[in-house]
């Protein structure tokens, strides 16, 4: 079955830039999406179609794509950005797939 | 504002059944695909099922195919998930979400979730 691979954890200091990657063979042909999930809360969409930012999401969140890897970048990380981040895409038949999630720790 | 509120979760024995509901408001429910996604305790997200705006197209993850049934009532702005033959591995928080279905597929927004616990 198709898989999206994320690092289990990323740590950054406040004000620095955090980069969370997501790898998958179908990513050159399928859009990627990113969700932020804080403890005890539902996921929130922060990036759609690789690099589009929904209204209400701070500009410090951005997305990019290169080959089989997509990247969520958080510039000027704030303490409130500490959360789990999940990438999501689709396989060749269109079935939805989630990455395993990355825990972002703000030191 | 757009709101999704799940209900119906609880404790059920293995082999039992449960019906989840999701009440939608703040948007034209009948215009959108809808979906259920679950998250086992301490684990990641797993897509479960989705249904087209009219209800004519339905997909299930292999893990629930034949046991779960998704449905909707556009007159009541409601989404449902009938879960039968429940197993311990179905224990999870179940979220309903609006599914954007077209050039891509993504979920926005999500409800707050309802916990289903399958245990004897």
């Amino acid at each position: 079955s198709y898989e999206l691979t994320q690092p289990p954890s990323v740590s950054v200091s406040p004000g620095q830039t955090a980069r969370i990657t997501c790898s998958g063979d179908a990513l050159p042909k399928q859009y990627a999406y990113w969700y932020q999930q804080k403890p005890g809360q539902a996921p929130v969409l922060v990036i759609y179609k690789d690099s589009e930012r929904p209204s209400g999401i701070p500009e410090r969140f951005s997305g990019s794509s290169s080959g089989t890897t997509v990247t969520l970048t958080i510039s000027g990380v704030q303490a409130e950005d500490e959360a789990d981040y999940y990438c999501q895409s689709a396989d060749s038949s269109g079935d939805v797939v989630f990455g395993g999630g990355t825990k972002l720790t703000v030191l | 504002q757009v709101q999704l509120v799940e209900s119906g979760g609880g404790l059920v024995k293995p082999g039992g059944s449960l019906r989840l509901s999701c009440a939608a408001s703040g948007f034209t429910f009948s215009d959108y695909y809808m979906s259920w996604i679950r998250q086992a305790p301490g684990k990641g997200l797993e897509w479960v099922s989705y249904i087209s705006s009219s209800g004519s197209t339905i997909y299930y993850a292999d893990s629930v195919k034949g046991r779960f049934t998704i449905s909707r009532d556009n007159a009541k702005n409601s989404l449902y998930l009938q879960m039968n033959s429940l197993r311990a591995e179905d224990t999870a928080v179940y979220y309903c979400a609006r599914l954007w279905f077209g050039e891509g597929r993504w979920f926005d927004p999500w409800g707050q979730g309802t916990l289903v616990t399958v245990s004897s």
Side-chain angles (χ1 to χ4, degrees):
Chain A
S1 62
Y2 182 55
E3 293 184 351
L4 296 174
T5 301
Q6 300 181 234
S9 63
V10 169
S11 300
V12 295
S13 299
Q16 291 190 329
T17 296
R19 294 179 178 86
I20 300 172
T21 59
C22 174
S23 300
D25 289 342
L27 288 176
K29 298 182 180 179
Q30 299 282 355
Y31 283 120
Y33 308 86
W34 291 94
Y35 302 89
Q36 176 194 66
Q37 186 180 33
K38 296 181 179 180
Q41 298 184 19
V44 173
L45 180 73
V46 294
I47 293 290
Y48 67 101
K49 290 187 177 181
D50 290 348
S51 59
E52 300 294 321
R53 192 174 54 250
S55 61
I57 300 301
E59 291 184 7
R60 63 180 182 273
F61 288 87
S62 63
S64 62
S65 176
S66 179
T68 58
T69 299
V70 294
T71 303
L72 172 68
T73 300
I74 310 172
S75 304
V77 167
Q78 300 181 6
E80 67 196 51
D81 299 330
E82 186 162 286
D84 293 328
Y85 291 85
Y86 293 90
C87 64
Q88 175 246 306
S89 187
D91 63 18
S92 57
S93 62
D95 284 348
V96 169
V97 179
F98 288 97
T102 298
K103 181 177 181 60
L104 175 66
T105 299
V106 181
L107 301 170
Chain B
Q1 75 281 20
V2 175
Q3 192 170 15
L4 300 168
V5 179
E6 301 94 335
S7 60
L11 175 63
V12 61
K13 290 182 168 55
S17 299
L18 211 55
R19 189 193 194 208
L20 306 184
S21 299
C22 172
S25 59
F27 66 103
T28 304
F29 181 73
S30 58
D31 284 348
Y32 290 89
Y33 280 57
M34 296 295 295
S35 185
W36 289 98
I37 301 128
R38 68 184 181 183
Q39 186 172 35
K43 301 297 184 182
L45 301 169
E46 179 188 15
W47 165 72
V48 173
S49 178
Y50 71 73
I51 185 169
S52 63
S53 53
S54 67
S56 60
T57 300
I58 288 173
Y59 275 91
Y60 298 99
D62 287 343
S63 57
V64 305
K65 202 173 294 183
R67 300 186 299 122
F68 289 11
T69 302
I70 192 172
S71 62
R72 64 190 296 160
D73 186 335
N74 286 343
K76 295 183 177 180
N77 292 337
S78 292
L79 175 72
Y80 306 101
L81 186 68
Q82 177 67 43
M83 302 185 297
N84 298 331
S85 302
L86 282 163
R87 307 165 179 166
E89 54 264 36
D90 295 318
T91 294
V93 173
Y94 284 74
Y95 296 100
C96 76
R98 185 171 64 178
L99 171 59
W100 294 79
F101 191 99
E103 197 174 3
R105 299 176 188 185
W106 69 100
F107 306 97
D108 181 52
W110 300 51
Q112 87 287 350
T114 187
L115 176 62
V116 172
T117 303
V118 184
S119 175
S120 55

